[in-house]
Amino acid sequence: MSLYEPLQRAETTRDTPPPPPPRLDFYMPAMPPLGLIHALERRWWAYRRRRQFRRRFLPLLAYDDHILEDMGHRRDDILWASRLPLEVDALAALEECRSRSASPKPIDACR
């Protein structure tokens, strides 16, 4: 191990959900259903995405409101996104909320 090698493996994350499985004309007898595999992949992606949100944004709540404003966030929006159901992508919802608040016509409610 040299000083130039990273100590941890680089974390690769996809920002898009997994694509639906292709329609096959022929299934092998021992092949699991592709819909089940896709559902499991989608659940795993949503779980990782929610953990990513919690790892990135929930520690920001320890900062002052002025520091959060300098970063481009609002405490209310982060709390709102943390209370979203698990089926909703909190990172995408927070990004949409930030893009709406940056528009010329400000929208106060992201709820």
Side-chain angles (χ1 to χ4, degrees):
M1 177 195 267
S2 72
L3 294 175
Y4 301 107
E5 292 179 16
L7 296 178
Q8 294 180 351
R9 186 171 19 156
E11 185 175 323
T12 58
T13 58
R14 294 185 298 185
D15 286 343
T16 59
R23 291 279 188 195
L24 300 179
D25 294 334
F26 178 73
Y27 287 97
M28 296 296 293
M31 187 177 199
L34 293 179
L36 173 66
I37 294 173
H38 177 66
L40 291 174
E41 282 179 346
R42 184 119 175 121
R43 289 281 182 150
W44 179 248
W45 177 83
Y47 169 76
R48 284 183 31 229
R49 191 82 168 156
R50 181 58 99 176
R51 293 250 347 240
Q52 190 177 37
F53 169 77
R54 289 183 179 182
R55 190 176 64 236
R56 286 182 185 174
F57 285 97
L58 291 186
L60 293 178
L61 294 175
Y63 292 118
D64 188 19
D65 287 338
H66 297 291
I67 295 174
L68 285 176
E69 186 178 337
D70 289 342
M71 289 184 209
H73 301 292
R74 289 179 40 202
R75 182 176 306 276
D76 298 336
D77 294 341
I78 295 173
L79 289 172
W80 167 77
S82 68
R83 283 186 241 120
L84 288 174
L86 293 177
E87 294 84 27
V88 178
D89 186 9
L91 285 172
L94 191 60
E95 184 65 33
E96 180 183 335
C97 183
R98 285 180 64 194
S99 67
R100 276 196 272 163
S101 66
S103 66
K105 180 180 169 186
I107 299 173
D108 187 37
C110 290
R111 295 124 197 64

